[in-house]
Amino acid sequence: MTDPASRPPTLLLSAADLGPVVRERRKSQSLRIDDAANLLGVSVDLMSRLENGQGSVRLDKALAVLDGLGLTLMVLPKEHPWVREAVSSCGSGPSAKPSAPPVTPKP
């Protein structure tokens, strides 16, 4: 098994992109979905919806799951070097680019 700290950051382009990251982390800790849900104080249904990108999950619950699995969420400007690096490492194709243009403040 590889060191989790050596895993490159993941650029999420949709809410559904979070699920595979959560599932991979849970499995890397040898946790079944029901055991993880119990340890994290959430329902199995919530864990399943989060991992499968189905339905909606409250942000506070998603953040609690991430924290409990040893993950964190960072919000960066799209023009930040880390974001550009992540986009370029995603390869080419429609999913490699952020889906919306940056918002420019109105004068």
Side-chain angles (χ1 to χ4, degrees):
M1 187 141 328
T2 61
D3 175 19
S6 67
R7 186 184 194 286
T10 302
L11 180 63
L12 304 179
L13 300 175
S14 73
D17 292 343
L18 182 59
V21 176
V22 170
R23 179 180 292 116
E24 177 185 318
R25 182 64 173 199
R26 172 182 59 79
K27 288 185 173 186
S28 77
Q29 296 177 9
S30 302
L31 290 171
R32 296 182 332 186
I33 194 167
D34 56 329
D35 292 332
N38 284 331
L39 287 169
L40 301 172
V42 298
S43 68
V44 174
D45 177 63
L46 182 136
M47 285 292 295
S48 178
R49 285 185 286 126
L50 183 60
E51 288 188 3
N52 292 305
Q54 297 174 343
S56 61
V57 175
R58 287 182 12 197
L59 181 59
D60 62 327
K61 295 292 185 180
L63 291 173
V65 168
L66 292 174
D67 183 57
L69 292 175
L71 297 169
T72 192
L73 177 68
M74 293 181 72
V75 177
L76 301 168
K78 288 183 179 183
E79 52 283 336
H80 192 282
W82 291 353
V83 175
R84 289 195 307 266
E85 181 182 324
V87 168
S88 66
S89 70
C90 286
S92 60
S95 65
K97 294 189 172 56
S99 55
V103 176
T104 342
K106 293 184 181 178

